[in-house]
Amino acid sequence: MLEQVVGSFPDILNHVAQMYGRISPLVFMQGITPVTIESAEGVHQGDPLGPVLFATAIHSVLKDLQEMHPKVRILAYLDDVFVLGHPTDIQSAFQDLKKSFFAINMIIADSKCEIYCPSTRDPVEGFDCIPVTDDGAIFLGAPVGTPSFVASSCSNIAKSKFLLCNELVQLGDIQSAMLLLRGSHVPCLNHLARSVRPELLTQAASIHDSQTRKTFCHLLGFNEIEDMPWRQAVLPIRLGGFGMTSLAFVSQPAFVASWAHAIVELPLRFPSLFPAVDSLVNSTTGALNNALTQSVPDGKHISEYLTSAGKVQHQLSMSFARCEAEILFTDAPTARDAARHRSTKGKGAGAWLNAIPTSEVLALNSYEYRLASLLRLGLPIPLSDWMTTCNCGASLDSSGYHLLTCKTGGGPVWSHESLASVWSDCLRELHIHHRREPRHRYANSNDRPDIVAFDSDSGCNVDLDIALAHPWSSDIFPRSSETDGAAAERREERKKSKYEKDCLPGGTAVSLIPLVMEHFGRWGVMGRNFLQKLAKKSCDEIGRPNAAEFLDFWRKRFSLQLQKCNAKVILRKMASLSSDTSSAKYSTQFFSH
């Protein structure tokens, strides 16, 4: 390995020699006794450079072998080596391959080899110990062979992924389980979507998507949820979903993108593949056609776009998702559902779904996460039969609207103060001088802004006023069902109107920034712009600009705090309606177990 690094990559020799220039002791525990093994061959487990070093070590061996046997074709990806050709030619090449690998201390196990010969299942002469198949084989995790073999292999691979889902429902931490479901299980068959024709992936996609849905429902405390909430859940987070992307949904754009990325090689190697791709691309109906129509710029042919565009799969998938999101708006049962959809798809509205619970401020407990999910998906909040009327006299419904907005009990005030504290923490991190609710701020009124902060750009103070807005409020609904961010915009206008009559001592006009969030998570434009302005001031420990990391953290922090506020207000309200302690327990039972 080191010899090949000297010849191929001499610039990294010193770095590699530092790790592999001498024997390394590996220590593990056998019971309570430490045991040491000397690592004297190969690469270290977990070394990011390991695959490159391994490939470098065997490259010259395979290259020499190819020159010795020009009638066969030798392909390799790390330790997956393929020899293609006539059986008689392969026999000689395979024996030489074993000898060449043995010379560098690598042993090929016949039991781990397989012969794919479409013309026969009979044993091939010289390969008595190696199984022969005529219907197909697995190459780099993707099945190649007859349509029935490919379809059944994909289904078997999908079934093999059930174990992770079974473990997730036992994890005990819903936030972590959802992150793992979305990040590990949902994309685990994407390689099949890029390498297998969509019509052959149908059964596997059904199995995979069914398991995703079952696990998602179980984590939320349901045996099953209706199709409409699930259609929202499979959308990307930025479009109001949970990112539980359907494999059936992604199979067409993934396959077309894979074809597009390899389009230079395909005409030379696999001309028979083109009809399958053409039938997808040139179809006059279906989601793929809609996605292509949205993605391809005016005046550009589809084939020209596919061969030149970057991130084709991402662009096509997002076009798919946008089409589905629009259909979801159209199919929304009520105007309230449409308003909720618009609010949940605002920038930063779903930031809480991406937060990794590494600290208390970034973590949601079980009832907080479940209740936040119910609100986002429009699923009913479980109320007991006797919870029909609020103690203010208003009727209750399972949407949670009145529970969130009722002023009796002080819930909105508590949420307001909680978000103000987070804004104060944000300003404090940037060492921005600020005061909370200063008295006698204005010369002509007793109004008090929530925060007064010093703006170094203008050299004067700016007044910040924090508010929560609900898209279903009577002063904005039903316009919020037709316009994105209408509730936050309306509340910003009201805040501006409230303070425009105020002035500072000396007659100076007030510089006010309303910091508004909708209950479903969407930011008001002014608050979003103010946070971005703060981000430009942020730097890391050694003074480098840190805007992206700052925005990512604080969007998650505000989003999480909002979900905590929603959960606490609802559960406090439900508890206040309970006549005794045992009844109060009912209100949290669903969310905490």
Side-chain angles (χ1 to χ4, degrees):
M1 185 174 71
L2 291 174
E3 289 173 358
Q4 295 303 316
V5 171
V6 171
S8 301
F9 307 106
D11 291 345
I12 65 170
L13 177 61
N14 289 340
H15 176 66
V16 175
Q18 186 177 18
M19 296 183 290
Y20 295 101
R22 58 184 179 182
I23 293 174
S24 302
L26 305 180
V27 181
F28 71 98
M29 300 300 294
Q30 194 169 46
I32 60 174
T33 305
V35 178
T36 301
I37 296 178
E38 292 185 342
S39 176
E41 298 179 357
V43 297
H44 295 160
Q45 181 77 21
D47 178 11
L49 199 58
V52 176
L53 296 176
F54 177 85
T56 301
I58 69 171
H59 179 71
S60 61
V61 174
L62 297 177
K63 186 177 179 181
D64 291 343
L65 191 68
Q66 180 67 83
E67 293 177 355
M68 292 169 54
H69 299 274
K71 291 185 178 182
V72 302
R73 184 67 181 273
I74 299 175
L75 304 172
Y77 181 83
L78 300 179
D79 60 344
D80 287 320
V81 181
F82 308 93
V83 183
L84 291 76
H86 192 276
T88 56
D89 298 323
I90 290 177
Q91 181 182 3
S92 175
F94 184 67
Q95 297 303 323
D96 287 341
L97 176 65
K98 297 174 76 172
K99 293 177 183 177
S100 299
F101 274 0
F102 187 77
I104 59 172
N105 289 343
M106 289 181 60
I107 299 174
I108 294 179
D110 288 348
S111 60
K112 293 187 177 182
C113 297
E114 186 177 24
I115 297 174
Y116 172 40
C117 189
S119 60
T120 180
R121 274 181 178 262
D122 297 331
V124 180
E125 185 177 351
F127 296 97
D128 298 337
C129 299
I130 301 178
V132 180
T133 177
D134 67 341
D135 53 359
I138 305 295
F139 294 90
L140 300 179
V144 175
T146 64
S148 60
F149 171 81
V150 172
S152 62
S153 296
C154 290
S155 297
N156 291 334
I157 293 172
K159 292 175 184 177
S160 70
K161 305 301 180 181
F162 284 8
L163 178 61
L164 173 61
C165 291
N166 294 336
E167 293 292 333
L168 290 179
V169 298
Q170 303 295 328
L171 188 58
D173 179 355
I174 298 177
Q175 186 177 3
S176 297
M178 283 291 193
L179 286 167
L180 291 169
L181 179 65
R182 188 176 81 238
S184 296
H185 173 74
V186 168
C188 70
L189 299 186
N190 280 4
H191 68 289
L192 294 180
R194 291 182 61 85
S195 55
V196 175
R197 300 183 188 187
E199 65 271 18
L200 301 180
L201 198 60
T202 303
Q203 184 179 3
S206 177
I207 295 171
H208 179 265
D209 294 345
S210 175
Q211 187 64 18
T212 303
R213 182 172 181 172
K214 180 180 178 181
T215 307
F216 180 80
C217 294
H218 193 285
L219 291 174
L220 291 187
F222 291 93
N223 291 326
E224 183 60 87
I225 60 175
E226 297 178 354
D227 287 341
M228 188 64 73
W230 178 245
R231 285 170 58 190
Q232 181 183 345
V234 302
L235 291 174
I237 292 174
R238 69 178 69 179
L239 295 180
F242 278 73
M244 300 295 162
T245 310
S246 162
L247 182 60
F249 182 87
V250 81
S251 61
Q252 287 189 343
F255 187 70
V256 170
S258 178
W259 166 79
H261 291 155
I263 199 168
V264 176
E265 295 288 337
L266 286 175
L268 301 177
R269 301 187 183 200
F270 310 107
S272 61
L273 187 59
F274 272 87
V277 179
D278 286 341
S279 66
L280 283 172
V281 174
N282 297 323
S283 174
T284 56
T285 60
L288 180 64
N289 180 265
N290 294 334
L292 286 169
T293 302
Q294 289 191 4
S295 301
V296 179
D298 294 337
K300 202 169 189 178
H301 191 269
I302 287 178
S303 60
E304 183 184 359
Y305 162 75
L306 289 174
T307 56
S308 60
K311 298 184 178 179
V312 175
Q313 180 176 337
H314 173 74
Q315 293 189 38
L316 291 180
S317 296
M318 284 304 299
S319 294
F320 260 50
R322 291 188 190 98
C323 291
E324 179 60 22
E326 288 301 320
I327 295 173
L328 206 60
F329 280 128
T330 305
D331 295 346
T334 66
R336 279 189 167 192
D337 287 302
R340 174 176 53 81
H341 288 322
R342 291 191 181 279
S343 185
T344 56
K345 75 181 184 70
K347 181 174 289 187
W352 61 278
L353 292 168
N354 289 320
I356 301 174
T358 53
S359 65
E360 184 178 353
V361 297
L362 294 178
L364 295 173
N365 60 34
S366 296
Y367 75 80
E368 290 169 343
Y369 195 99
R370 282 177 172 159
L371 202 150
S373 300
L374 298 186
L375 292 176
R376 186 172 176 87
L377 292 173
L379 293 170
I381 294 173
L383 301 173
S384 56
D385 295 338
W386 45 266
M387 282 187 183
T388 58
T389 306
C390 178
N391 46 24
C392 72
S395 298
L396 294 180
D397 65 90
S398 60
S399 70
Y401 170 61
H402 183 77
L403 292 171
L404 279 176
T405 57
C406 179
K407 295 181 180 180
T408 304
V413 174
W414 183 85
S415 297
H416 174 276
E417 292 303 308
S418 181
L419 290 173
S421 296
V422 179
W423 273 111
S424 185
D425 292 342
C426 180
L427 295 170
R428 192 177 298 113
E429 180 176 309
L430 295 174
H431 307 290
I432 295 176
H433 177 71
H434 63 282
R435 290 175 293 160
R436 293 280 302 275
E437 298 190 9
R439 296 179 180 273
H440 312 299
R441 169 68 174 163
Y442 305 126
N444 58 337
S445 78
N446 292 322
D447 291 338
R448 286 189 294 170
D450 294 311
I451 300 175
V452 176
F454 179 73
D455 182 9
S456 59
D457 293 338
S458 63
C460 59
N461 289 328
V462 61
D463 294 5
L464 309 175
D465 207 70
I466 297 156
L468 278 171
H470 202 293
W472 298 349
S473 297
S474 58
D475 62 338
I476 192 61
F477 185 80
R479 189 161 72 88
S480 57
S481 67
E482 303 166 354
T483 306
D484 291 347
E489 181 183 359
R490 173 62 175 158
R491 187 57 57 89
E492 288 176 339
E493 292 171 353
R494 290 176 60 182
K495 287 292 182 182
K496 281 285 190 181
S497 176
K498 174 184 176 181
Y499 285 92
E500 66 181 3
K501 66 181 185 301
D502 295 327
C503 63
L504 302 176
T508 307
V510 175
S511 177
L512 176 77
I513 300 178
L515 306 176
V516 182
M517 293 183 74
E518 295 182 358
H519 277 91
F520 293 117
R522 191 182 188 97
W523 285 74
V525 174
M526 295 182 184
R528 186 172 69 240
N529 291 342
F530 181 68
L531 186 63
Q532 291 174 341
K533 181 179 179 179
L534 293 180
K536 294 178 181 178
K537 301 178 183 293
S538 65
C539 297
D540 61 16
E541 291 82 358
I542 59 176
R544 295 176 300 189
N546 197 37
E549 290 81 357
F550 179 93
L551 269 177
D552 181 66
F553 173 81
W554 285 102
R555 278 176 179 164
K556 291 175 181 175
R557 177 79 188 278
F558 280 108
S559 184
L560 283 159
Q561 191 61 38
L562 176 62
Q563 304 311 320
K564 291 180 179 182
C565 290
N566 288 342
K568 194 164 187 176
V569 168
I570 288 176
L571 290 177
R572 273 184 171 182
K573 192 67 176 175
M574 293 170 70
S576 71
L577 299 176
S578 302
S579 57
D580 56 72
T581 305
S582 60
S583 298
K585 289 182 179 179
Y586 175 86
S587 62
T588 60
Q589 183 178 9
F590 174 83
F591 304 107
S592 57
H593 295 290

